[in-house]
Amino acid sequence: MTATAIESTTTAQATTVAFEGRFIWADPRELVVDAFNHRKTRGDDDNGTEPDASLIESVIEFGVNTPLLLRPQTGAQDGLLGVVFGQRRMKAAAIAAERAIAAGQPIRLVPAIVRDDLRDVDDEALSLSVVENVHRRQATSLDVLDAAEQLALMPVGKMRKERAARALGIKPEEVAAAPQAAKLSTRALREANAAAFDLVDMADYHSVENLGGALTTLKHAKKKDTEAGDSSRGHWAHALAELRQKQKDEEERARILEELKTSGVTVVAWNAHREHGNSRSLTDLVSDIGNAMTAELHQECPGHAAALIPGDTAVEWLCTDWKRYDHELTDSESAAAKVPKSTPEMLEAVRKVRRYNKAWRTAREVRRDYISQLCAAGGEANDATWVLILSTITGTSDHYGRAATRPKTDLISSFLGMKDPNGDLDHWHRVPNPYGPVIATTAKTRRWRLLLAQVAAMFESEVMHDGAWRNVEPHTVTWLSYLKEQGYKLSEVEAEILAEGIKKYRPKKKSA
């Protein structure tokens, strides 16, 4: 290799040096591809890393006229120069050199800029590699994903990662999400790319990619957020929570079925009208001496079986032929035997309870994540927040009184984004002033967030319990209305319950 130093020129005006580098003529056969050159071969797809015939012919005829960017290598390749960008030109030049040698002709060296300042500076080398190719061609989402994944794993500071993220044209949170997004299957990556998912979306999609209908559900949610201008991704958050719950339920159902199979229990289809057939739920039967029938008492019966309730993980234990095996009905079931038990209206009421219970619990996770975001906000609290806090702690509600004496600090701590000081302690060894350090280090303008965390914990533990949707109370309306005003996207069930509560407690004024 031959080197020529690049000299800076100085004029009467101030000058700016863009980088430190030196120009050389390099033998392409002596170069290696830098580990952080973001263009890679993926399986059978060379991703444009191999030179085509026209490029090779061009290099044979005219040589390489655009300088490569090189940097000194470290580790096992110490002493070599690696191509940060320009690997196709380098490979074409190496092929041209081999052909020249075979023909007994001199080889052509390639022009290059060596960036000695990039030695061991992997994040900047990666950024330059991506930027070069973005400007030369349209970088694919896989290019950006590969680069972001490498950047996320680099032991560099937050500021440098943010700078590199800007160079890649993505947000810092996408860098953090890249390692998870990279776990998507090839098929799912293509689907996510076609759906215009960013890296955060892809990371979320990975957690449910094997669930049927997940892609369609998330695409629909993303579209609704875009149309509503919802930067908080409210529709997406609720859709993802529902998908994760569904996936969790399916996994639990599979586990239960496998456990029943291993135990030798017969599994039959669930039937909402068992009272009209031969099988009956064990809850409808009594033992030989009149006690409530249980699975343990019934397990020796030839008709012992189980069914999984659709859309749920609850097991219904039953006898497949209760009359044949001489079981007796409970008194209440005997009295009801002469009248229809499961009318369509009754069955729908049961299904509604099951659906609403699940939807209400699923929305809780998304809602509490949003509360944590509210409690992490900087600056002063807005008027609505102060009104909520002050009216709650100065009111006479039994809810607040119970919550204030609640020994647990798990909810408040989670809303403040900190480890629960009492998490590993029993009831008799609680920390007397669990938030003392937080109070001492929180700026005066942000101390309101501790109060909001306490008030939120009250509403969540005392008001938004599992059965809260059944009988809406004023506190439910107050809490959901406040969250909606702060930008929280209500789930379908939350929106319905709030509308019901408003109608119940805030009737429209009659016109004069």
Side-chain angles (χ1 to χ4, degrees):
M1 302 179 187
T2 59
T4 304
I6 298 177
E7 299 180 358
S8 61
T9 58
T10 306
T11 64
Q13 297 178 336
T15 60
T16 300
V17 178
F19 58 82
E20 297 177 11
R22 53 192 170 91
F23 177 83
I24 68 169
W25 288 97
D27 185 334
R29 299 170 301 167
E30 298 177 3
L31 303 177
V32 296
V33 177
D34 190 271
F36 290 91
N37 185 313
H38 88 289
R39 294 179 75 177
K40 297 178 178 63
T41 299
R42 302 185 186 88
D44 296 331
D45 180 13
D46 66 20
N47 191 34
T49 60
E50 298 301 321
D52 54 26
S54 61
L55 177 59
I56 294 171
E57 291 302 319
S58 172
V59 171
I60 290 174
E61 186 68 26
F62 301 105
V64 174
N65 294 287
T66 303
L68 314 179
L69 184 68
L70 313 177
R71 70 165 179 155
Q73 301 294 284
T74 57
Q77 299 192 117
D78 190 34
L80 300 177
L81 292 174
V83 180
V84 176
F85 59 71
Q87 65 166 305
R88 289 180 71 247
R89 282 168 278 156
M90 177 269 285
K91 290 179 178 179
I95 293 172
E98 295 295 342
R99 292 185 184 180
I101 291 172
Q105 299 173 349
I107 67 171
R108 289 178 182 267
L109 301 179
V110 296
I113 303 295
V114 179
R115 291 284 301 274
D116 293 299
D117 58 315
L118 292 182
R119 181 185 178 92
D120 285 325
V121 187
D122 297 333
D123 56 325
E124 190 162 341
L126 175 66
S127 298
L128 288 171
S129 174
V130 176
V131 169
E132 162 70 7
N133 286 296
V134 165
H135 287 304
R136 286 186 174 274
R137 64 179 178 86
Q138 182 62 47
T140 68
S141 60
L142 287 179
D143 292 330
V144 176
L145 174 57
D146 283 341
E149 182 186 11
Q150 292 181 73
L151 180 60
L153 300 176
M154 289 180 183
V156 297
K158 179 180 178 181
M159 297 295 290
R160 285 178 60 177
K161 282 191 177 182
E162 289 181 352
R163 177 173 177 264
R166 288 194 298 272
L168 297 178
I170 60 177
K171 295 170 287 188
E173 53 266 34
E174 291 187 79
V175 174
Q180 187 73 7
K183 295 178 182 179
L184 280 168
S185 65
T186 302
R187 172 191 58 78
L189 272 174
R190 288 197 299 267
E191 293 172 343
N193 185 40
F197 286 1
D198 62 24
L199 298 187
V200 175
D201 297 338
M202 289 184 183
D204 286 343
Y205 179 37
H206 170 259
S207 67
V208 293
E209 69 170 292
N210 295 321
L211 187 64
L215 179 66
T216 301
T217 298
L218 291 177
K219 285 168 63 176
H220 183 61
K222 187 176 182 70
K223 180 181 179 182
K224 290 174 70 174
D225 281 334
T226 301
E227 291 174 347
D230 185 1
S231 60
S232 68
R233 303 164 78 236
H235 290 289
W236 178 282
H238 283 297
L240 182 64
E242 290 171 5
L243 288 170
R244 284 175 173 166
Q245 184 60 51
K246 182 179 179 182
Q247 180 169 264
K248 183 178 178 181
D249 288 347
E250 288 190 0
E251 292 171 351
E252 178 63 10
R253 287 174 65 86
R255 186 196 67 78
I256 292 172
L257 286 172
E258 182 61 29
E259 188 176 273
L260 292 171
K261 179 180 177 182
T262 303
S263 301
V265 175
T266 300
V267 178
V268 299
W270 185 78
N271 183 356
H273 304 278
R274 292 202 188 282
E275 72 275 14
H276 301 311
N278 295 327
S279 65
R280 289 299 288 251
S281 172
L282 296 190
T283 58
D284 297 343
L285 307 176
V286 295
S287 69
D288 292 342
I289 59 175
N291 292 326
M293 182 68 80
T294 64
E296 184 178 1
L297 291 172
H298 188 259
Q299 61 183 342
E300 299 302 326
C301 175
H304 187 59
L308 274 180
I309 298 175
D312 206 336
T313 55
V315 176
E316 178 192 32
W317 294 98
L318 55 97
C319 182
T320 57
D321 200 334
W322 66 282
K323 291 182 180 179
R324 177 183 177 185
Y325 299 119
D326 297 324
H327 296 308
E328 293 184 11
L329 295 173
T330 63
D331 291 341
S332 60
E333 288 300 319
S334 295
K338 298 180 179 180
V339 297
K341 180 180 178 182
S342 301
T343 65
E345 293 75 18
M346 293 172 66
L347 289 175
E348 175 55 29
V350 172
R351 284 193 290 265
K352 178 180 178 180
V353 169
R354 192 177 297 128
R355 289 195 300 266
Y356 275 58
N357 279 340
K358 179 177 289 188
W360 191 253
R361 289 193 297 267
T362 301
R364 182 178 295 146
E365 177 185 347
V366 180
R367 186 175 65 248
R368 290 185 176 180
D369 283 344
Y370 193 83
I371 294 167
S372 297
Q373 295 176 35
L374 289 179
C375 292
E380 272 284 4
N382 56 36
D383 289 343
T385 298
W386 275 120
V387 168
L388 177 79
I389 291 172
L390 295 176
S391 60
T392 300
I393 64 178
T394 60
T396 58
S397 167
D398 291 340
H399 293 315
Y400 185 72
R402 286 195 299 269
T405 57
R406 186 173 183 259
K408 293 185 177 181
T409 51
D410 54 335
L411 273 180
I412 298 177
S413 299
S414 68
F415 293 151
L416 293 175
M418 60 179 283
K419 181 180 179 181
D420 183 5
N422 293 306
D424 301 324
L425 303 177
D426 60 39
H427 180 76
W428 307 106
H429 299 86
R430 315 295 286 175
V431 177
N433 186 20
Y435 302 110
V438 179
I439 295 170
T441 56
T442 300
K444 291 181 180 179
T445 57
R446 299 190 66 205
R447 287 178 181 169
W448 59 269
R449 71 191 194 97
L450 282 85
L451 293 173
L452 178 59
Q454 184 195 36
V455 168
M458 181 279 288
F459 277 106
E460 288 296 306
S461 63
E462 302 296 328
V463 178
M464 304 297 286
H465 51 81
D466 285 353
W469 65 269
R470 292 172 178 264
N471 184 23
V472 189
E473 60 173 278
H475 281 84
T476 307
V477 177
T478 298
W479 185 228
L480 289 178
S481 296
Y482 166 76
L483 291 175
K484 182 180 180 182
E485 182 181 346
Q486 299 307 304
Y488 171 64
K489 179 63 183 178
L490 299 176
S491 67
E492 183 181 9
V493 68
E494 288 170 328
E496 181 177 314
I497 296 308
L498 176 59
E500 180 183 326
I502 290 175
K503 183 178 181 180
K504 182 177 180 180
Y505 296 109
R506 301 178 187 175
K508 293 182 179 179
K509 293 182 180 179
K510 294 182 179 180
S511 57

